[in-house]
């Protein structure tokens, strides 16, 4: 007796072709994929007309627990994740207190085990004096360095401290690459009044050079020490061109949907809702980021899901916090783009499923194949529905994409062979597991 059989689904292959067939899950794994599975099962889903892909892995989210659970916590963030077809997430350390030692990491792992509907992994945050913890904590998907300031108080921008971190250890280092000195200098020079509602100024202060300088610096450190480096949320044409010229073997990078689907013209409509770090850019940057993805210069897609309440967001700049929710709209946005001919099903799977598993060494995930973990996303690929703030699962309660018509919404999300999201509803009592990471 299987735990779950999904019948008549269009099962996606890595090359983007599909075949209509059945898939059986048992003990958390994909037990069988066949044209017809007639053995009995505890649960049976008729998926005729729907697309089955590996569960999406979102390798960059901020779920605010501990410290700001009025915006999100591991439970609400993971519920938003599974609504968006995301079955595993990697969460950032800039909560309060920040995740900078084993004790804080253990606390989050225990909390996630008890409340998260999706599988989970956590970054350890770098400070200028926690080198020992950076190399000893477990399990962690990588070290996060904020080279430029953002939400929270994690920041390492002194050369000596960066050399120490890059020079000692093997664990993957993921960087938020914005140059702090330039941010400070441009803020002083350009923010004429104490506050303003011209939120577009944010993109001018943190200009493309601000990102490029820090990206160059991280690349130089990675080359100097041969250190595994992942550059988070590339946002500029300049960074793509730089990495196209030379991307060392030990370097990977990502882009987030906000830099593909929003641009500086959106400040007019969205105001501070569109404010994030690194900031949204002029439209030509998105064109280059898409090209970077297609050419394999950019490896994967993350969301940088960064929930803030609308009340905080409506404050004038620079009090307005940076970040937008995104974990539940990334897959529908990408599937809509796919159906508009902007990318292929093979690329979507590569960028959002198998790619993140490869980049972070996540075992047994990212593919629809027998013996892989049964983390699955079934998608209604035909129905077009608008994003609506009222329907958002994130505690933030809003989306920068409100009003956009998207085609390709998850109908069922399955974590470890158990249905957790079922046509708009979360099934109670289903929890994800801690992810395991292979050393680089
Ligand atoms: O806009 C952002 N918000 N960028 C980050 O790097 C952090 C994030 C947050 O945590 O709010």
């Amino acid at each position: 007796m299987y735990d779950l059989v999904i019948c008549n689904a269009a099962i996606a292959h890595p090359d983007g072709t599909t075949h209509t067939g059945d898939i059986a899950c048992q003990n958390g794994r994909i037990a069988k994929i066949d044209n017809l599975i007639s053995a009995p099962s505890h649960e049976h889903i008729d998926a005729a007309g729907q697309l089955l892909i590996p569960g999406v892995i979102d390798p960059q989210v901020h779920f605010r627990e501990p410290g700001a659970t009025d915006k999100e916590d591991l439970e609400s963030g993971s519920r938003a994740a599974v609504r968006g077809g995301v079955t595993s997430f990697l969460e950032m350390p800039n909560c309060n207190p920040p995740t900078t030692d084993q004790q804080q990491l253990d606390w989050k792992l225990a909390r996630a085990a008890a409340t998260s509907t999706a599988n989970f992994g956590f970054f350890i945050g770098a400070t200028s004096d926690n080198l020992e913890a950076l190399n000893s904590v477990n399990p962690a998907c990588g070290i996060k360095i904020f080279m430029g300031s953002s939400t929270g108080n994690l920041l390492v921008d002194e050369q000596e401290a960066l050399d120490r971190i890059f020079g000692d250890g093997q664990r993957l280092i993921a960087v938020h690459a914005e140059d702090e000195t330039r941010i400070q200098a441009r803020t002083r020079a350009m923010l004429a009044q104490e506050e303003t509602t011209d939120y577009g100024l944010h993109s001018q202060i943190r200009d493309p050079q601000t990102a490029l300088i820090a990206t160059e610096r991280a690349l130089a450190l990675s080359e100097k020490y041969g250190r595994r480096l992942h550059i988070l949320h590339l946002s500029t044409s300049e960074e793509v061109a730089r990495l196209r010229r030379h991307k060392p073997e030990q370097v990977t990078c990502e882009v987030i949907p906000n830099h593909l689907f929003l641009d500086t013209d959106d400040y007019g409509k969205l105001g501070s809702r569109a404010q994030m770090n690194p900031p949204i850019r002029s439209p030509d940057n998105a064109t280059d980021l898409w090209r970077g993805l297609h050419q394999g210069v950019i490896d994967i897609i993350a969301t940088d899901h960064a929930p803030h309440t609308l009340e905080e967001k409506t404050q004038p700049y620079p009090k307005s916090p940076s970040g937008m929710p995104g974990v539940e709209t990334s897959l529908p946005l990408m599937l809509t783009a796919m159906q508009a001919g902007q990318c292929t099903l093979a690329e979507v799977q590569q960028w959002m499923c198998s790619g993140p598993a490869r980049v972070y060494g996540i075992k047994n995930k990212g593919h629809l194949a027998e013996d892989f973990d049964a983390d699955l996303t079934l998608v209604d690929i035909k129905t077009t529905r608008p994003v609506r703030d009222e329907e958002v699962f994130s505690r933030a309660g809003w989306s920068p994409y409100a009003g956009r018509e998207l085609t390709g919404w998850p109908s069922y999300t399955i974590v470890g062979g158990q249905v957790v999201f079922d046509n708009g509803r979360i099934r109670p009592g289903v929890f994800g597991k801690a992810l395991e990471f292979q050393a680089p």
Side-chain angles (χ1 to χ4, degrees):
M1 177 87 114
Y2 290 121
D3 297 328
L4 170 70
V5 173
I6 301 169
C7 295
N8 303 316
I11 300 174
H13 299 284
D15 68 0
T17 59
T18 59
H19 84 275
T20 302
D22 298 355
I23 190 161
C25 307
Q26 177 113 45
N27 298 328
R29 296 276 174 105
I30 298 174
K32 195 171 185 183
I33 302 178
D34 213 337
N35 290 339
L36 181 68
I37 297 174
S38 45
S41 61
H42 288 295
E43 178 157 12
H44 178 272
I45 296 172
D46 184 356
Q50 303 204 40
L51 173 68
L52 188 71
I53 61 169
V56 169
I57 300 173
D58 187 338
Q60 196 198 162
V61 301
H62 302 266
F63 284 168
R64 310 296 187 211
E65 186 172 6
T69 51
D70 57 320
K71 304 183 194 207
E72 199 79 284
D73 59 22
L74 290 159
E75 180 176 358
S76 64
S78 66
R79 289 162 72 99
V82 296
R83 182 196 178 215
V86 173
T87 52
S88 298
F89 61 82
L90 303 181
E91 207 257 352
M92 285 295 166
N94 58 330
C95 34
N96 187 13
T99 320
T100 51
D101 58 26
Q102 187 71 53
Q103 193 188 343
Q104 289 303 328
L105 180 63
D106 285 344
W107 189 89
K108 280 217 263 196
L109 285 161
R111 190 78 191 136
T115 64
S116 174
T117 58
N119 303 309
F120 47 87
F122 297 105
F123 285 87
I124 180 84
T127 68
S128 45
D129 60 5
N130 71 338
L131 184 61
E132 207 207 310
L134 295 182
N135 289 327
S136 64
V137 297
N138 262 310
C141 53
I143 295 167
K144 166 72 180 278
I145 305 182
F146 282 92
M147 296 174 76
S149 54
S150 193
T151 303
N153 56 10
L154 288 175
L155 174 69
V156 183
D157 68 332
E158 282 159 14
Q159 192 61 31
E160 207 181 283
L162 289 169
D163 267 302
R164 244 191 342 265
I165 297 167
F166 273 82
D168 187 343
Q170 263 101 57
R171 179 166 269 163
L172 175 150
I173 295 177
V175 292
H176 178 120
E178 288 192 284
D179 185 68
E180 184 62 14
T181 308
R182 189 170 172 96
I183 295 170
Q184 297 300 336
R186 288 174 74 80
T187 304
R188 277 194 303 275
M190 297 171 76
L191 193 62
Q193 316 107 296
E194 207 160 288
E195 46 187 52
T196 174
T197 50
D198 174 12
Y199 298 102
L201 188 60
H202 188 64
S203 290
Q204 292 166 38
I205 291 175
R206 293 181 178 238
D207 68 345
Q209 279 301 312
T210 303
L212 183 64
I213 291 168
T215 289
E216 290 280 17
R217 197 175 177 201
L219 283 166
L221 283 157
S222 167
E223 294 223 66
K224 182 171 173 189
Y225 297 106
R227 187 68 183 256
R228 174 81 181 88
L229 170 69
H230 181 73
I231 307 168
L232 301 159
H233 40 44
L234 285 197
S235 60
T236 65
S237 304
E238 287 83 347
E239 290 165 290
V240 179
R242 165 63 181 83
L243 286 162
R244 186 181 292 114
R245 276 201 308 280
H246 179 52
K247 185 176 165 214
E249 202 190 324
Q250 77 275 14
V251 176
T252 53
C253 59
E254 71 186 30
V255 64
I256 69 171
N258 299 343
H259 294 122
L260 297 173
F261 297 102
L262 298 174
D263 60 58
T264 39
D265 294 342
D266 288 301
Y267 281 119
K269 193 176 93 189
L270 296 173
S272 65
R273 290 190 191 202
Q275 181 191 324
M276 69 165 297
N277 300 327
I280 55 168
R281 308 287 184 191
S282 60
D284 41 318
N285 290 275
T287 309
D288 288 329
L289 291 164
W290 272 108
R291 199 172 295 136
L293 271 171
H294 290 304
Q295 294 173 340
V297 176
I298 300 176
D299 299 272
I300 56 172
I301 291 177
T303 65
D304 194 13
H305 175 84
H308 294 284
T309 63
L310 281 179
E311 200 185 338
E312 289 171 303
K313 276 289 209 183
T314 43
Q315 297 171 100
Y317 187 80
K319 278 202 190 116
S320 48
S322 292
M324 320 179 209
V327 73
E328 60 200 285
T329 44
S330 57
L331 182 63
L333 280 165
M334 290 306 295
L335 291 174
T336 305
M338 177 186 90
Q339 294 182 89
Q342 269 183 292
C343 56
T344 66
L345 180 55
E347 288 172 323
V348 170
Q349 293 181 90
Q350 192 185 314
W351 299 336
M352 304 184 83
C353 312
S354 57
R358 174 180 58 80
V359 166
Y360 285 97
I362 303 172
K363 284 198 223 162
N364 229 38
K365 297 196 188 290
H367 290 280
L368 295 182
E370 290 177 3
D371 279 338
F372 268 70
D373 290 344
D375 296 336
L376 312 169
T377 301
L378 195 57
V379 179
D380 173 356
I381 202 72
K382 299 209 179 78
T383 309
T384 300
R385 286 198 283 118
V387 178
R388 292 168 184 270
D389 283 350
E390 313 81 85
E391 293 175 5
V392 163
F393 277 32
S394 164
R395 190 161 295 150
W398 62 276
S399 165
Y401 301 102
R404 282 210 199 195
E405 299 277 347
L406 301 182
T407 313
W409 289 89
S411 52
Y412 288 88
T413 305
I414 291 134
V415 173
Q418 292 182 280
V419 175
V420 61
F421 177 76
D422 172 354
N423 292 290
R425 285 201 190 82
I426 300 286
R427 292 229 190 133
V430 181
F431 300 105
K433 290 202 172 87
L435 297 167
E436 290 178 46
F437 309 99
Q438 272 152 349

